[in-house]
Amino acid sequence: MTTMTDSSVREFKMPDVGEGLTEAEILKWYVEPGDTVTDGQVVCEVETAKAAVELPIPYDGVVRALHFPEGSTVDVGTSIIAVGVGDGAAAAAEPVQEAVADTPATTGAEEPKPEGRQPVLVGYGVSTSSTRRRPRKGAKDPAAAQDASAAIQAEMNGHGPSAPAAPAAPSAGDRPLAKPPVRKLAKDLGVDLATVVPSGPDGVITREDVHAAVAPAPGEAPGAAPAAVAPAPSPAAPASYDTARETRVPVKGVRRATAAAMVGSAFTAPHVTEFVTVDVTRTMKLVEALKQDKEYTGLRVNPLLLISKALLVAIRRNPEINASWDEAAQEIVVKHYVNLGIAAATPRGLIVPNIKDAQAQTLPQLAGSLGELVSTAREGRTSPAAMQGGTVTITNVGVFGVDTGTPILNPGESAILAVGAIKLQPWVHKGKVKPRQVTTLALSFDHRLVDGELGSKVLADVAAVLEQPKRLISWA
C-alpha cells in the first residue's frame, strides 16, 4: 500500500497495551473505509498473549484505510489504520489493501457509536457484545442492491447467474469476493473460487460455499472430489483421501504464550513432583457449614477456598517455598507476599490470574477474590496485570474428574499445587473402614531452590489442614 503523506491523514499505531507486550493480534474491525469515527470510539479488538482488549481511536475523522486484516499479528508501534482529519476527513477513502477486504468500499449512513463498555486499553476481553462485527453498509435502494449482487455473480460466473460452465481464469477486476480465511480454506481444499457460487452479502463467498463446492454431487460417491476442483490423488494416496480430515489451527495469542512458557519452564527448572492422598471429609463438612453462614452470603464457597487457605498457611509455616530463581544474578529471591495464582480454563485457553497479597486476606475476603477471579476469567475480562507477578499456583484438575497430575511450574514460580477429584472411597477411620471423602494432592517444585524436605513439609502441611481444618485456627 502506498504510504500516506497527506498532513490531514493521521496514522493510528498499535499502542503498548502494557506489561511489556510487544505485539497483538487483530481480532475484529468495527469500522471500514468511509466510516466516520469520533474521539474515543472503539475501532477494533485485539488480543495479546495475555488478554483481549478494545482500542479506541483518539481523534475525529473518516477512515481512509485499514492496514491489516483480521487475524494479523502486528508489532506495537506499527500503524494499523489511517484516518482523515480536518480537511482530509472529506477525502475519499483509499481502497483497502487486498488482504483486508476484497469488496469495494460501500456507502451509507454513519453507523452509531458502539454502546455499553467504555473503551479502554487494558482489562476487557472477548464478550458476546464485543465480538460481533458491525453489519456491512448496503445500498440505500434495495433494487439497486439486488442488481449489484446479480452483476457481481454474473462477473464471477462469466455468463450470468444461470451460466453453468466455469469461466476462464478471471482478470484482476473480476476477482471473486472472499475474505482471507475463506481464500485459505479454498486453497487448502483445492477449490477454484471462480467456480464457487456465493451466498454471502454483496456476492461474498463464505466458508459454507467453499465446503459445498467440494461436497459430492447427487449420485456421486462420497469422498470423491469434483474433477474441476481438486486434482486426482497420486498413485501413492488412497482413492478415498479426504482433504477435510484435518484442521490446522494457527498457534497465536494465549496458546502461543502458554506453549512458550511451558516449554521454557519444563526445560529450565528441574521439576520434582510429590503426591499425598488425604481424607478431606471434615473439610467438605466445613464447606457446607460456611455456605449457611450469613457472613458468606453471596460469596463463592467451595473446596478450592479452603484448599487455597491451607496452602497459604503452609507457605506461612515454610516461607522458603514462596521464592524464585534469578539466573542472571544467581540469587534465590524469597517473596514476603503471596500472589496466589489460580489456573483457569477459558475459551481463549489456559490462563493463570492471581490474587495479589492473598496472605493478608481473611477467609471471606479470599472467597470474594476467588469468585471475582473466576467470573472475570470466564467472561474473558482478565487484564494482563492480573496475570503478572504470581508467586505460587493452584490448578484444580479435579473438576474434570481427574485424580491428580504432574503440573508444570509457571515461569518465575517455585511451586504449583494440583488438586485431584474428591471422591467417596473406603478409608480406615478410627480403626474401621468407612466411606470417606478422599482426594490426592500433587506438589511440583523447582529443585534448584526447593529440596525434598521443604517440598515434603509444604505438601504435608496442606494435607494436614485439609484433614483437620481446625488447624486453620490453631496454626494461625
Side-chain angles (χ1 to χ4, degrees):
M1 174 177 290
T2 303
T3 303
M4 297 182 182
T5 58
D6 189 344
S7 59
S8 61
V9 175
R10 301 285 297 274
E11 296 285 347
F12 179 54
K13 299 179 180 180
M14 178 70 72
D16 181 356
V17 293
E19 301 298 331
L21 300 173
T22 61
E23 63 182 20
E25 177 191 349
I26 298 176
L27 291 180
K28 289 286 182 182
W29 280 111
Y30 297 133
V31 295
E32 57 189 25
D35 283 358
T36 300
V37 293
T38 58
D39 186 2
Q41 178 179 335
V42 173
V43 294
C44 68
E45 182 177 37
V46 302
E47 181 181 43
T48 70
K50 301 297 182 182
V53 298
E54 295 176 331
L55 300 184
I57 199 77
Y59 31 75
D60 300 338
V62 175
V63 177
R64 295 285 296 276
L66 309 180
H67 296 325
F68 295 93
E70 295 174 355
S72 298
T73 299
V74 183
D75 291 336
V76 168
T78 302
S79 179
I80 60 174
I81 180 174
V83 176
V85 297
D87 295 338
E94 178 179 315
V96 185
Q97 63 174 341
E98 176 183 297
V100 179
D102 295 303
T103 55
T106 56
T107 59
E110 176 184 345
E111 292 288 348
K113 181 178 178 180
E115 299 178 355
R117 296 176 294 174
Q118 295 301 313
V120 297
L121 290 184
V122 177
Y124 284 121
V126 179
S127 68
T128 303
S129 62
S130 66
T131 55
R132 182 180 301 171
R133 187 169 186 177
R134 281 174 37 179
R136 184 179 298 276
K137 299 175 184 178
K140 295 181 179 179
D141 183 359
Q146 184 175 0
D147 291 343
S149 178
I152 293 173
Q153 184 171 346
E155 290 182 6
M156 296 172 61
N157 291 327
H159 301 284
S162 60
S171 63
D174 295 332
R175 191 170 188 220
L177 309 179
K179 294 182 178 180
V182 177
R183 292 189 180 281
K184 182 178 184 303
L185 175 65
K187 180 179 179 182
D188 293 342
L189 299 181
V191 175
D192 181 358
L193 289 177
T195 67
V196 178
V197 178
S199 64
D202 299 326
V204 176
I205 296 173
T206 67
R207 297 178 65 89
E208 291 73 18
D209 298 335
V210 175
H211 285 300
V214 295
E220 187 177 359
V229 173
S234 63
S240 61
Y241 179 76
D242 185 355
T243 57
R245 290 172 63 188
E246 296 180 352
T247 299
R248 291 182 175 268
V249 180
V251 179
K252 58 179 68 176
V254 172
R255 177 60 59 192
R256 182 172 64 177
T258 300
M262 292 300 97
V263 170
S265 176
F267 291 97
T268 299
H271 284 55
V272 173
T273 305
E274 294 186 341
F275 307 87
V276 63
T277 302
V278 58
D279 176 2
V280 295
T281 304
R282 291 185 177 91
T283 288
M284 297 303 291
K285 290 180 179 179
L286 178 56
V287 168
E288 294 305 314
L290 292 177
K291 288 181 179 179
Q292 307 305 317
D293 193 320
K294 293 182 179 179
E295 190 173 2
Y296 292 85
T297 301
L299 297 177
R300 182 185 296 270
V301 178
N302 54 23
L304 180 60
L305 171 61
L306 296 184
I307 292 168
S308 299
K309 195 64 176 178
L311 179 58
L312 292 171
V313 169
I315 292 173
R316 186 172 67 246
R317 289 165 55 86
N318 307 273
E320 296 84 2
I321 193 73
N322 189 45
S324 63
W325 181 273
D326 189 332
E327 181 66 28
Q330 286 295 292
E331 295 175 341
I332 294 174
V333 183
V334 180
K335 314 292 176 62
H336 303 300
Y337 57 91
V338 181
N339 290 346
L340 180 62
I342 304 296
T346 74
R348 296 178 56 246
L350 178 68
I351 63 174
V352 188
N354 60 77
I355 300 171
K356 310 298 184 186
D357 293 311
Q359 84 288 345
Q361 297 191 3
T362 64
L363 195 60
Q365 289 172 339
L366 188 60
S369 296
L370 282 169
E372 182 179 359
L373 179 149
V374 172
S375 61
T376 300
R378 287 177 177 173
E379 294 170 5
R381 297 187 294 108
T382 303
S383 68
M387 291 182 281
Q388 295 293 310
T391 64
V392 66
T393 294
I394 295 177
T395 176
N396 185 9
V397 298
V399 297
F400 305 109
V402 175
D403 290 335
T404 192
T406 55
I408 298 177
L409 296 166
N410 279 323
E413 300 181 14
S414 62
I416 179 171
L417 178 69
V419 182
I422 299 175
K423 299 178 180 179
L424 194 65
Q425 297 183 18
W427 193 262
V428 178
H429 177 67
K430 296 181 179 181
K432 296 182 179 180
V433 177
K434 296 182 178 181
R436 305 287 287 181
Q437 298 283 349
V438 177
T439 190
T440 300
L441 307 174
L443 183 72
S444 290
F445 50 86
D446 186 342
H447 216 349
R448 294 176 298 179
L449 65 160
V450 180
D451 57 26
E453 180 185 10
L454 176 58
S456 298
K457 285 182 176 180
V458 171
L459 186 57
D461 279 357
V462 173
V465 172
L466 295 179
E467 186 175 23
Q468 294 283 355
K470 65 181 180 181
R471 291 190 172 102
L472 290 172
I473 299 175
S474 61
W475 285 1

